[in-house]
Amino acid sequence: MSKYKEGDIVTSCVTGIEKYGIFVGLDEYYSGLIHISEISEDFVRNINDYVAVGETIKARILEVDDKECHVKLSIKGLDYRIARKRRSKICETELGFSTLEKKLDGWICEKLKEIN
């Protein structure tokens, strides 16, 4: 029995982009293709406007080939982007690690007391 079924929404990682479609990896065995005609209802001039290599996206399975471990996918009509957490830039303070250095001996003593 197949791990994937037609109609399922799966999470995949974009592994390559060609003029005709998007290559994705689903797991260590299955890979897939999102043909350019399955990207949008509108005309797709540049696939790079929709995804980037390394991006994780959601896609709908159109067809599964278990023998070849390959799936045909579509992102038409899906909110395919998976929200990424925005990382804030870490700003170094003037004191740097000096405040940690001052507290370290005290923390070590406290932990040793806890352990004993």
Side-chain angles (χ1 to χ4, degrees):
M1 185 160 155
S2 177
K3 179 177 181 176
Y4 300 105
K5 294 182 299 223
E6 188 177 313
D8 284 355
I9 304 293
V10 293
T11 301
S12 59
C13 180
V14 177
T15 58
I17 298 173
E18 292 293 332
K19 292 179 182 180
Y20 53 86
I22 304 164
F23 288 95
V24 296
L26 276 69
D27 59 27
E28 62 272 10
Y29 301 108
Y30 280 80
S31 62
L33 173 69
I34 303 169
H35 189 267
I36 192 168
S37 65
E38 293 297 333
I39 293 173
S40 175
E41 295 292 343
D42 299 324
F43 179 74
V44 177
R45 183 173 309 280
N46 183 355
I47 295 173
N48 292 291
D49 293 339
Y50 293 85
V51 297
V53 173
E55 184 177 1
T56 301
I57 61 171
K58 291 186 274 184
R60 178 179 290 109
I61 296 178
L62 300 176
E63 209 174 293
V64 180
D65 181 349
D66 287 317
K67 185 177 178 184
E68 298 294 324
C69 293
H70 185 79
V71 294
K72 291 181 183 175
L73 302 157
S74 175
I75 58 174
K76 269 187 189 179
L78 286 181
D79 183 14
Y80 63 91
R81 293 205 184 261
I82 294 177
R84 295 184 199 177
K85 292 182 180 176
R86 294 195 136 208
R87 294 184 181 173
S88 59
K89 187 175 179 180
I90 298 172
C91 298
E92 189 175 340
T93 65
E94 291 177 15
L95 299 174
F97 288 106
S98 64
T99 52
L100 294 175
E101 184 180 22
K102 290 175 186 175
K103 297 258 185 189
L104 187 60
D105 289 334
W107 291 335
I108 291 172
C109 287
E110 286 176 29
K111 269 298 172 195
L112 287 174
K113 286 177 187 176
E114 265 181 52
I115 294 170
N116 294 330

